[in-house]
Amino acid sequence: MPRISFEFFPPKDIEGSFRLWRCVQTLAPLQPDYVSVTYGAGGTTRQLTHEAVTAIHKTSGLPVAAHLTCVDASRAETMEIAESYAAAGVTDIVALRGDPPKGTGAFRPHPEGFTSSVELIEALAATGKFRLRVGAYPEPHPEAGSTQDDVDHLKRKLDAGADEAITQFFFEAETFLRFRDACAAAGIDKPVTPGILPVENWAGVRRFAAACGATIPDDIARAFENAEHAGASDLLATALATELCEALVDEGVDAFHFYTLNKPEMSRDVCHALGIAPRPALLQVA
């Protein structure tokens, strides 16, 4: 049975807070290895992420990984955030360069900040306080020239002290398997976990895919267009995500990271289809 983890984003209002807690409550009985909480572009949710991470850590009994970027912050500010997580008992970090604020163009380092994810990882690893995860791209990142460039950059991040990687989402098992082979050929021997995105909103996923370089196969695009007309989008999305995971399990993959978008039911249903049964609830949230 594969190991699982889930990604959430921090709430921006009271309604979002209730949605996040419902998401945690729905998925906690599956006993994930950990859950993670994202950062907004340009560090726009820095405080919200910190509050969500510490609250989930205190109330759920789940290991929580905090996303941390080096956008729009000095080295001292970034490390202060990391130390505050350690002080709160949060010792898992997803270390990322981060995206610049929308409309500002390409990434520009803060004058006193880390210039890359590799520098951030080196600093975090030097503390000896954290388990570090990093991002990986099974298809070329928009800023990369090729998949090999992404593999080489991933190796630099892992060599800098990261413990494992989580990939961007993809739609075909072969996409991940080719990337896994390329990583092995480059001498990467740390875990690379595939990121799975059950499609809750087809229009939104098309935008995400265009932004991150994920290829949408023509047959999947046609299937979702037809399913939307028939009111069967959720059934199709669950079936496709389950089929993708099963194909990867058949190739020896033993862990998945689900991008929930704070809508937990589809990720839960895919896990159930993989034979991952709920266990007694872990939450103590009132």
Side-chain angles (χ1 to χ4, degrees):
M1 188 179 303
R3 294 177 290 107
I4 53 171
S5 54
F6 300 109
E7 181 175 292
F8 309 134
F9 56 78
K12 296 182 180 180
D13 52 32
I14 293 297
E15 181 181 350
S17 295
F18 282 115
R19 187 180 304 118
L20 174 59
W21 293 126
R22 184 177 63 81
C23 195
V24 175
Q25 288 177 307
T26 299
L27 297 174
L30 298 174
Q31 293 196 7
D33 281 3
Y34 67 95
V35 300
S36 67
V37 182
T38 66
Y39 239 42
T44 51
T45 66
R46 184 177 291 121
Q47 185 61 34
L48 294 171
T49 296
H50 190 278
E51 291 171 358
V53 166
T54 53
I56 293 172
H57 174 70
K58 289 178 181 177
T59 60
S60 73
L62 295 172
V64 187
H67 284 220
L68 184 63
T69 76
C70 41
V71 174
D72 198 27
S74 69
R75 291 172 180 251
E77 289 169 336
T78 301
M79 294 307 293
E80 182 180 355
I81 294 169
E83 291 293 345
S84 72
Y85 281 127
V90 175
T91 56
D92 287 53
I93 286 180
V94 180
L96 307 163
R97 187 201 70 181
D99 296 322
K102 291 181 180 178
T104 61
F107 170 80
R108 292 184 177 86
H110 185 283
E112 300 175 0
F114 295 107
T115 63
S116 68
S117 56
V118 173
E119 286 190 0
L120 173 61
I121 292 157
E122 288 173 340
L124 292 170
T127 70
K129 297 179 179 180
F130 303 104
R131 179 172 182 81
L132 300 173
R133 296 177 175 88
V134 296
Y137 286 82
E139 297 178 274
H141 184 279
E143 296 178 26
S146 67
T147 294
Q148 188 59 48
D149 288 344
D150 282 320
V151 171
D152 293 342
H153 187 54
L154 174 59
K155 190 172 191 306
R156 288 192 290 272
K157 291 189 288 187
L158 294 169
D159 289 346
D163 298 287
E164 63 180 278
I166 305 164
T167 78
Q168 182 58 267
F169 67 88
F170 53 92
F171 292 94
E172 295 181 298
E174 291 75 13
T175 301
F176 176 80
L177 298 174
R178 284 193 297 267
F179 182 70
R180 185 179 68 175
D181 289 346
C183 288
I188 292 173
D189 57 3
K190 293 179 179 179
V192 179
T193 299
I196 304 297
L197 177 63
V199 177
E200 292 276 357
N201 181 303
W202 177 236
V205 167
R206 283 185 298 177
R207 290 194 297 271
F208 292 155
C212 72
T215 301
I216 301 175
D218 290 341
D219 58 338
I220 289 180
R222 287 193 298 271
F224 272 106
E225 289 163 5
N226 293 334
E228 285 188 330
H229 289 304
S233 295
D234 286 357
L235 288 173
L236 174 65
T238 302
L240 288 176
T242 301
E243 182 180 31
L244 175 60
C245 291
E246 288 176 339
L248 292 171
V249 168
D250 288 344
E251 294 292 338
V253 173
D254 62 358
F256 297 107
H257 184 73
F258 288 91
Y259 297 110
T260 72
L261 303 184
N262 289 18
K263 297 176 180 177
E265 288 81 11
M266 198 170 292
S267 294
R268 177 202 61 198
D269 292 347
V270 173
C271 288
H272 287 178
L274 294 173
I276 302 169
R279 304 174 204 177
L282 301 176
L283 295 184
Q284 300 172 3
V285 180

